[in-house]
Amino acid sequence: MILTILTVVSWVLILSGAFFSIIGGIGIVRFPEFFSRLHGGGITDTMGAALIVLGLICLSPSILVAIKLMMILFFLLVTSPSSCHALSNSALAQGYWPELDNTGKSKNK
Amino acid sequence: MIFLVAAISILITMCLALIRAMLGPTVFDRVLALNMFGTKTVLLICAICFLTERTDFLDLALLYSLMNFIGMVALLRFSHYTALDKEVSQ
């Protein structure tokens, strides 16, 4: 009974993770400029990765495998958003500005 | 079966990231695609580990997730101090 529930939950998690992953992949190809492409990359790095790894944790054969997967999930969730932040920070420091920005602020303030 | 679905979807995403890495007009697009490709590599190693039932591959995935972050930060610091892009070098 518990095994069936775990299998169904992991199917749902892995399928939604695969969905978000492909959505982010399409976004990174089709978005018009760099700062919006960052959004597509961020979705695959956090949502897709976390859902797929959580689905794998539900199906892990031993407790050691589950602990290793949790460590992988922790490192992915710590490093991916911070590298995304470093990337956008570096792009802003080099003089790029969102072309789709309509808040009225300009690059030179 | 579900691991095969996960692996195929991860491979599709890696192909899309490679397309952006080839097309990317700025160096930051390429670095973003590289970062995404590295994350997807970690996930692909996890899926293949479950697909072939060899759980020792997980150590490789753990190592690769750390290496990906270090390489990314190194590349960004390099591009911060020396201009990789001709357009912004002046």
Side-chain angles (χ1 to χ4, degrees), chain B residues 29-69:
Chain B
D29 289 305
R30 296 177 207 269
V31 176
L32 175 65
L34 183 74
N35 180 28
M36 194 168 140
F37 194 82
T39 312
K40 293 299 127 185
T41 310
V42 176
L43 287 184
L44 186 64
I45 292 173
C46 291
I48 284 178
C49 143
F50 275 78
L51 198 60
T52 59
E53 294 176 354
R54 290 190 55 179
T55 53
D56 46 347
F57 277 6
L58 279 177
D59 298 331
L60 300 181
L62 199 53
L63 180 70
Y64 205 90
S65 68
L66 291 176
M67 237 168 58
N68 185 30
F69 178 67

Side-chain angles (χ1 to χ4, degrees), chain A residues 10-11 14-15 18 21-22 24-26 28-31 33-34 37-38 40-41 44-45 48-49 52-53 56 59-61 65 68-69 71-72 75-76 79-80 82-84 86-87 90-91 93-94 96, chain B residues 1-3 5-6 9-10 12-13 16-17 19-20 25-29 31-33 35-36 39-40 42-43 46-47 50 55-56 58-59 61-62 65-66 69 72 76 79-80 82-85 87-88:
Chain A
S10 75
W11 268 78
I14 291 180
L15 279 183
S21 169
I22 292 181
I26 294 171
I28 203 176
V29 171
R30 285 191 51 89
F31 271 146
E33 50 104 24
F34 167 69
R37 274 174 214 139
L38 210 57
T44 61
D45 280 350
I52 288 180
V53 174
L56 291 182
L59 287 181
S60 59
V65 173
K68 279 182 188 173
L69 278 173
M71 285 169 71
I72 290 173
F75 283 128
L76 279 184
T79 59
S80 289
S82 59
S83 62
C84 243
L87 187 60
S90 174
Q94 292 237 359
Y96 290 100
Chain B
M1 180 61 198
I2 185 65
F3 303 132
V5 172
S9 72
I10 291 167
I12 291 173
T13 315
L16 292 170
I19 289 173
R20 177 46 67 193
T26 67
V27 67
F28 299 107
D29 289 305
V31 176
L32 175 65
N35 180 28
M36 194 168 140
T39 312
K40 293 299 127 185
V42 176
L43 287 184
C46 291
F50 275 78
T55 53
D56 46 347
L58 279 177
D59 298 331
L62 199 53
S65 68
L66 291 176
F69 178 67
M72 171 91 187
L76 283 176
S79 78
H80 191 74
T82 63
L84 286 176
D85 223 0
E87 289 176 16
V88 295

